[in-house]
Structures are given as structure tokens and as C-alpha cells.
Amino acid sequence: MFTDMRFEVTILGSSSATPIFNRNPSSQALNINEHLYLVDCGEGTQQQMLRFDVKPGRIDHIFISHLHGDHYLGLVGLLSSMHLNGRTKPLKLFCPPELKEIIDLQLKYSETTLQFEVDYYFTRTDAAEVILDNQDITVETIPLDHRIACTGFLFRQKRRLRKLRKEKIEELEIPVDQYTAIKRGADFTSGTGVLYKNADITTSPEDPKTYVYCSDTMYNENYFKQISNADMLYHEATFLNNMLDRARMTHHTTALQAAHIAEITNVKKLLIGHFSARYKTLNELLDEAQSVFPETELALEGKTFVI
């Protein structure tokens, strides 16, 4: 428990409302300590999972930011495939409450009864709240400013235990049954009665890291404090700034605005995505963001980023 933690995100889809050649609608797979968490599930996500070796059977938590089709239309197909492939373990689905009605209707008219339970956890947009708390992470909702109710998600690692120094284990012949207590901060007394301070036989773990997923939203300072100092921020950047009026009209963000958000909130790294299909190549969006925030990368499909 709380050993070196894998914390990384694989981009499955980075397009906006309509797919374009080589870009699919929004979806990401987070690997947190070898547990997979799916964030949004646009059309074609299953194909992307096959393409990039993301195993559906390892996904026990799915987060849907809002009910525009490019963020959830792949979900019913994914649930159906899980059913056909014999899944029996429960699935936790964090989503707007109306999504249950949509899924129930699809299953009703296909006369399908899933072999596994879907445990629904309904999100709200009037306030941020912790929606998941397990041994590895906490997940908070981020109320965003989109045309319809929409939340982002903040994934925060829990602080891990201290690490026993291998050479001290061997030198002092520390019994296995004392490892956990020492990792939690206890000192060690040897068989000869010598006391060894915890700080001398352990090392501190890395500081917990945070990953922020800001789905569709226009520029709004209301969520800045919550996402401040994140290790990695994914933020939509649908348009170049020369289309700022269009971005405001559709409640989206430009690449330049996303970069300013990253700068203001003091994040360490920015990923931009949710690109409009009007952009056949993405270099202009990247250049625009990097002009303000150099630590910016494109959320390219199939690429895995270590947080």
C-alpha cells in the first residue's frame, strides 16, 4: 500500500464536437497505481482503447463531464461490450443525473439487462465536492462555465508512506512485521536495545501530485483557485484567439486563454485539447499557447503523459 505510484494519462480522443481524420472526440484513460479511470467517452472510444491497449476490464470508474455527445456517445457501446464480454464486477459511473435516463432508455429498447451493476454517482454544478475517496486518490468536481451543466475533475494523490532504506533493512535485520509501523513513522529498536530514529532508516515519499481535467468551459476565474498549483492541467482550447467571439458564443476557450489560465494558476504543465475540426494541423494552437506558457503540450491521441 502506498508504494511508488504510477500516475499517468493516455489521450484517447482530443477533437471537439465533430471527429476529424486522426482525431476522435474527448476521452482519456488515467492509470493510477495500475487502476484505470476513464474520463469522458466520446464516440469511437472503444476503438481507441483497442488501438492504444487500454483494457476495458481494468476500468472500474468512469467520469462523464457533461451531456454533449462528443463526451458521452461512446458510453452505451462500451457498457454493452463489457456486458457481452462477461463483466460481472460493478462499475462506478460519475455523471450528470440525466445520463441514467439516457442509458436506461437505450437498454430498454435493445432489451438488454447488463450482467453487472452500474453504481451511479450524480454530479452537481452549484459547488465543488469530493466524489471519490479511496486508498490512492481523491477526486473532486470542478464546476465549469459551459452552455449546459458541466464539471471538470481534479484527481489528487494521497500522501504515501515513508520508504524503508534497503541497506538499513539488511544492516539492522529489521523484521518484516515491523515494516508498516516504521513506514508510518515509528522508530526501530534492535535486538540489542539500540534505538534508531525513523528519519535515519527511512526516506520521505514524493509529494502527492494532482491532475486537473477541465472539460468544455469558457474563461471564468471562478475555478482558478481550485486548480491552482496542479502538477498537470488539461484544459480545452477549442479555438485560436482570433476566434475569441466564437469561443465566447459557444462557451469555449481559446489556446491563448488556456495558457493564461495555466500561468495565473501556477500549474507546472499544461495540456491543451478539444480542438475544433476546422484545424487540420495543430501547430498554430500550440504556438499560441506556448507564447504565454512554454510548458504546454498538445493532447495528442495515443500519447501518455506522466504526471
Side-chain angles (χ1 to χ4, degrees):
M1 182 177 173
F2 298 110
T3 56
D4 287 339
M5 184 182 288
R6 192 170 181 180
F7 195 20
E8 61 189 30
V9 59
T10 298
I11 309 302
L12 301 176
S14 62
S15 187
S16 56
T18 57
I20 184 175
F21 180 71
N22 279 339
R23 294 208 303 270
N24 278 40
S26 293
S27 187
Q28 300 183 3
L30 274 163
N31 185 329
I32 303 175
N33 207 22
E34 301 306 329
H35 297 283
L36 296 187
Y37 299 73
L38 188 68
V39 187
D40 278 338
C41 188
E43 183 182 0
T45 294
Q46 286 191 85
Q47 291 290 338
Q48 295 293 84
M49 292 169 73
L50 288 169
R51 183 180 175 192
F52 301 123
D53 196 30
V54 175
K55 300 292 192 295
R58 293 176 57 201
I59 295 172
D60 294 329
H61 303 78
I62 297 178
F63 301 84
I64 301 296
S65 62
H66 67 296
L67 294 184
H68 280 154
D70 54 318
H71 294 261
Y72 83 91
L73 281 179
L75 182 59
V76 171
L78 177 60
L79 296 179
S80 298
S81 293
M82 288 176 169
H83 164 75
L84 292 171
N85 289 326
R87 183 188 181 104
T88 57
K89 62 178 177 177
L91 177 76
K92 292 181 173 60
L93 179 55
F94 304 83
C95 62
E98 297 83 2
L99 185 55
K100 184 178 187 303
E101 179 184 358
I102 294 170
I103 292 173
D104 286 346
L105 197 63
Q106 294 273 354
L107 297 176
K108 175 183 176 180
Y109 286 107
S110 67
E111 298 185 10
T112 300
T113 301
L114 297 178
Q115 298 182 73
F116 59 93
E117 290 294 324
V118 177
D119 298 328
Y120 287 90
Y121 297 80
F122 297 135
T123 53
R124 44 188 278 198
T125 56
D126 58 337
E129 60 179 341
V130 175
I131 55 174
L132 180 64
D133 186 344
N134 62 28
Q135 69 174 14
D136 294 327
I137 57 165
T138 59
V139 183
E140 301 172 19
T141 54
I142 305 168
L144 298 174
D145 186 356
H146 194 40
R147 190 168 59 80
I148 64 172
C150 182
T151 62
F153 301 101
L154 187 156
F155 297 82
R156 191 189 309 276
Q157 281 183 316
K158 288 190 172 177
R159 181 168 292 280
R160 288 159 285 175
L161 300 180
R162 297 183 66 83
K163 300 177 185 178
L164 270 164
R165 292 166 57 184
K166 185 177 178 181
E167 72 275 12
K168 290 298 183 181
I169 295 174
E170 297 171 352
E171 175 189 338
L172 304 177
E173 298 181 344
I174 300 174
V176 173
D177 62 6
Q178 294 195 37
Y179 286 4
T180 299
I182 294 171
K183 288 178 180 181
R184 293 184 183 279
D187 297 328
F188 171 67
T189 302
S190 71
T192 58
V194 178
L195 177 69
Y196 295 89
K197 290 292 187 182
N198 185 273
D200 296 328
I201 59 176
T202 65
T203 58
S204 299
E206 293 180 0
D207 289 336
K209 295 182 179 179
T210 53
Y211 177 65
V212 174
Y213 177 85
C214 281
S215 178
D216 296 17
T217 184
M218 66 187 301
Y219 185 102
N220 187 322
E221 295 183 0
N222 287 344
Y223 59 90
F224 286 12
K225 181 178 179 180
Q226 188 183 3
I227 71 174
S228 290
N229 303 309
D231 292 276
M232 187 176 292
L233 165 65
Y234 167 85
H235 201 288
E236 74 123 293
T238 308
F239 301 107
L240 287 168
N241 209 58
N242 61 11
M243 298 196 69
L244 181 58
D245 289 343
R246 176 65 178 169
R248 288 171 174 161
M249 184 185 306
T250 56
H251 282 242
H252 283 299
T253 306
T254 69
L256 191 68
Q257 287 179 315
H260 281 301
I261 292 168
E263 182 181 45
I264 292 167
T265 58
N266 194 40
V267 303
K268 293 183 176 66
K269 190 177 190 66
L270 171 66
L271 303 182
I272 55 172
H274 199 263
F275 309 114
S276 169
R278 73 184 65 241
Y279 303 113
K280 309 307 179 191
T281 62
L282 304 173
N283 290 340
E284 286 183 279
L285 290 140
L286 180 62
D287 290 345
E288 183 171 279
Q290 286 183 336
S291 70
V292 170
F293 194 78
E295 289 300 314
T296 302
E297 290 196 49
L298 298 170
L300 297 178
E301 297 181 11
K303 190 165 184 178
T304 295
F305 297 91
V306 177
I307 298 161

